[in-house]
């Protein structure tokens, strides 16, 4: 990651969300702040991510994973959860849009210190005030303990919490993923939404080609994909950490839920996934 810059993948994720607002009018996920968070290069970033029509499935997946995470968070808030943790927050804008602030939902953004510093500068440059109820916790997932970093930021480790962990798992080694899940599972009634990719060799040719393009781009930015999971393997990993209640959406399920596709329109095939899991306390 370049010093004093957000990760390239953080810029890319925000770029896809911003492109979704322009190209699909935010049909799946509304994010009015995505463009502003990209900074002066916003239009160029969006154009680069929109030039190839083949990018549409990835763009819609990016929108859908955020929609799914925030839908599940809303359900958790309705159950009484009042702490949300955005892991590897990047340029995520949930704290700016938090519809639950009136209910007392506290948001903790956890990220690499350099990305976090850039984001805070960007908020200042756009004139956006730091949202009420937002706390930054600077943690390097590969080198620092998540639980200690959150506790130092004022997170209540003895209270239920909802963790949003998007766009991070593929870039971590297995040890870091396991360590993070262990910390999440220590929290009572913990819930988490994360995304992951199946091994590229599992994909059908057309989608595999698209995924290889994304993977190659990430590698050239110094952020190679390190970890892949089969669907059953991810389920077992979550269950092994006590997160046994689960819902896993691949592209077919996303199409049904958010795009109006018929349930039998597409066979289940290897795809990117977004999954919700909860401790069965």
């Amino acid at each position: 990651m370049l010093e004093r810059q957000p990760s390239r993948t953080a810029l890319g994720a925000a770029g896809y969300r911003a492109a979704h607002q322009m190209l699909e009018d935010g049909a799946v996920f509304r994010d009015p702040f995505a463009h502003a968070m990209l900074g002066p290069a916003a239009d160029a970033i969006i154009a680069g991510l929109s030039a190839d029509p083949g990018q549409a499935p990835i763009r819609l997946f990016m929108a859908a994973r955020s929609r799914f995470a925030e839908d599940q968070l809303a359900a958790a808030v309705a159950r009484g959860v009042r702490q949300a943790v955005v892991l590897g927050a990047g340029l995520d804008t949930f704290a700016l849009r938090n519809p639950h602030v009136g209910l007392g939902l506290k948001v903790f953004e956890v990220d690499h210190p350099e990305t976090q510093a850039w984001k805070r500068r960007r908020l200042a440059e756009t004139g956006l005030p730091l949202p009420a109820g937002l706390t930054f916790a600077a943690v390097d997932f590969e080198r620092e303990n998540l639980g200690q970093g959150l506790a130092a930021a004022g997170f209540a480790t003895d209270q239920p919490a909802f963790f949003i962990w998007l766009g991070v798992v593929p870039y971590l080694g297995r040890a870091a993923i396991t360590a993070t899940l262990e910390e999440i599972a220590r929290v009572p009634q913990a819930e988490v939404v994360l995304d992951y990719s199946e091994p590229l060799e599992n994909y059908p040719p057309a989608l595999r080609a698209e995924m290889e393009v994304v993977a190659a781009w990430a590698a050239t930015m110094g952020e190679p994909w390190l970890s892949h999971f089969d669907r059953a393997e991810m389920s077992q990993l979550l269950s092994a950490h006590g997160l046994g209640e689960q819902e896993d959406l691949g592209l077919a399920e996303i199409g049904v839920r958010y795009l109006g596709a018929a349930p039998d329109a597409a066979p289940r095939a290897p795809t990117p996934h977004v999954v919700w899991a909860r401790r069965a306390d």
Side-chain angles (χ1 to χ4, degrees):
M1 185 179 66
L2 297 177
E3 187 177 1
R4 299 182 183 176
Q5 294 289 325
S7 71
R8 297 299 184 182
T9 51
L11 284 168
Y16 278 122
R17 292 197 306 274
H20 174 60
Q21 311 310 303
M22 297 176 61
L23 300 178
E24 288 91 26
D25 194 29
V28 175
F29 180 69
R30 290 281 184 183
D31 187 348
F33 299 106
H35 187 282
M37 290 306 303
L38 290 170
D43 291 339
I45 292 171
I46 293 169
L49 295 172
S50 306
D52 180 5
Q55 292 287 340
I58 300 299
R59 182 172 65 249
L60 289 170
F61 175 76
M62 294 289 193
R65 72 180 189 180
S66 293
R67 168 72 179 276
F68 179 68
E70 295 187 19
D71 285 351
Q72 295 288 1
L73 172 58
V77 171
R79 291 191 293 269
V81 173
R82 294 296 181 265
Q83 296 185 114
V85 180
V86 186
L87 299 172
L91 303 183
D92 184 86
T93 66
F94 173 75
L96 296 170
R97 300 177 285 100
N98 181 3
H100 314 295
V101 66
L103 295 174
L105 180 69
K106 297 179 180 178
V107 179
F108 297 84
E109 288 198 3
V110 180
D111 211 337
H112 190 284
E114 289 291 350
T115 298
Q116 208 164 70
W118 190 95
K119 182 175 185 177
R120 297 182 75 157
R121 287 195 296 271
R122 184 68 199 134
L123 286 170
E125 290 166 359
T126 58
L128 294 170
L130 291 180
L134 172 61
T135 300
F136 291 100
V139 177
D140 184 337
F141 288 99
E142 291 282 7
R143 298 178 177 84
E144 298 177 284
N145 180 272
L146 171 62
Q148 293 175 356
L150 280 172
F155 177 80
T157 58
D158 60 344
Q159 296 297 315
F162 190 100
F163 294 80
I164 298 175
W165 195 18
L166 300 178
V168 180
V169 167
Y171 304 96
L172 297 179
R174 294 291 181 109
I177 294 168
T178 298
T180 301
L181 287 174
E182 287 175 352
E183 292 299 328
I184 291 172
R186 295 181 195 279
V187 176
Q189 301 176 44
E191 301 181 47
V192 62
V193 170
L194 61 87
D195 62 333
Y196 67 97
S197 174
E198 295 187 44
L200 295 184
E201 59 267 23
N202 290 3
Y203 284 74
L207 187 54
R208 177 176 179 176
E210 294 174 11
M211 297 300 293
E212 286 176 341
V213 169
V214 178
W217 171 78
T220 62
M221 295 298 104
E223 298 169 6
W225 288 359
L226 300 177
S227 297
H228 302 272
F229 296 88
D230 289 320
R231 196 171 199 159
E233 184 183 14
M234 176 55 73
S235 178
Q236 291 168 2
L237 177 63
L238 292 168
S239 294
H241 289 86
L243 299 160
E245 188 176 353
Q246 302 168 13
E247 183 177 16
D248 188 319
L249 303 185
L251 289 182
E253 292 91 350
I254 285 171
V256 171
R257 179 166 302 186
Y258 297 120
L259 302 176
D264 58 352
R268 179 176 292 183
T271 69
H273 292 255
V274 59
V275 57
W276 164 82
R278 180 171 64 177
R279 272 185 52 174
D281 289 336

